[in-house]
Amino acid sequence: NAQILQSAGISSGDTVMLSEALYAVRVLLPAAIRATYGETVRVVSSPSDSVGDVKAKVEVLTGLVASGIALGFNGASLSPDTATLGSVGVPNGFTLNATTSSTARRGAFVVRANLPASLQGTLGPQVSVSLASGASSSVAELKAAIALVTSMAVADQELAYGSVVLA
């Protein structure tokens, strides 16, 4: 923030890129599913998103049933599900702890979506996201899941498998 424009090579009349700073939280996953999904998942959200919204995004990413997920922040349980992240004081970039009941776990059909370059930096270092889906899920359902976790509009998505564009 204190960098001098001229020292960055910016001259009068130059154009700089403006992008929205994303609000995101990380969710530390239970040990039982880390082998599949990694230690944490990053959830793009906003301070006005509810605890339930975050649980729904975790469900899309991991296949855990949202109703069986409990989220914690600074040692306290985040509830009710209607509470917003902002109202309970969750700052941007903070890691929430997830615990699950036995009813949250289910066998997931996982689809990995490679992210376009424009999203790779904004969503963190990952170049793809894993999405819990089903063998009978439609392309529209997969696109809706991608929109939920990346904020990329369904209309802006084109999915392909191999050389075949999915419609």
Side-chain angles (χ1 to χ4, degrees), residues 65-92:
V65 178
S67 62
I69 300 170
L71 295 176
F73 170 64
N74 282 344
S77 178
L78 292 179
S79 62
D81 278 0
T82 55
T84 65
L85 296 180
S87 71
V88 295
V90 176
N92 186 20

Side-chain angles (χ1 to χ4, degrees), residues 29-125:
L29 298 173
I33 65 167
R34 289 183 188 164
T36 304
Y37 299 101
E39 189 170 343
T40 63
V41 291
R42 186 164 184 209
V43 177
V44 176
S45 53
S46 75
S48 63
D49 277 356
S50 70
V51 172
D53 294 337
V54 174
K55 289 180 180 183
K57 291 177 182 183
V58 171
E59 179 175 0
V60 168
L61 290 169
T62 66
L64 295 172
V65 178
S67 62
I69 300 170
L71 295 176
F73 170 64
N74 282 344
S77 178
L78 292 179
S79 62
D81 278 0
T82 55
T84 65
L85 296 180
S87 71
V88 295
V90 176
N92 186 20
F94 196 83
T95 300
L96 304 174
N97 292 312
T99 56
T100 58
S101 67
S102 59
T103 60
R105 295 182 186 95
R106 64 178 176 205
F109 180 90
V110 178
V111 176
R112 197 155 188 77
N114 290 330
L115 297 172
S118 61
L119 286 179
Q120 289 176 14
T122 60
L123 294 176

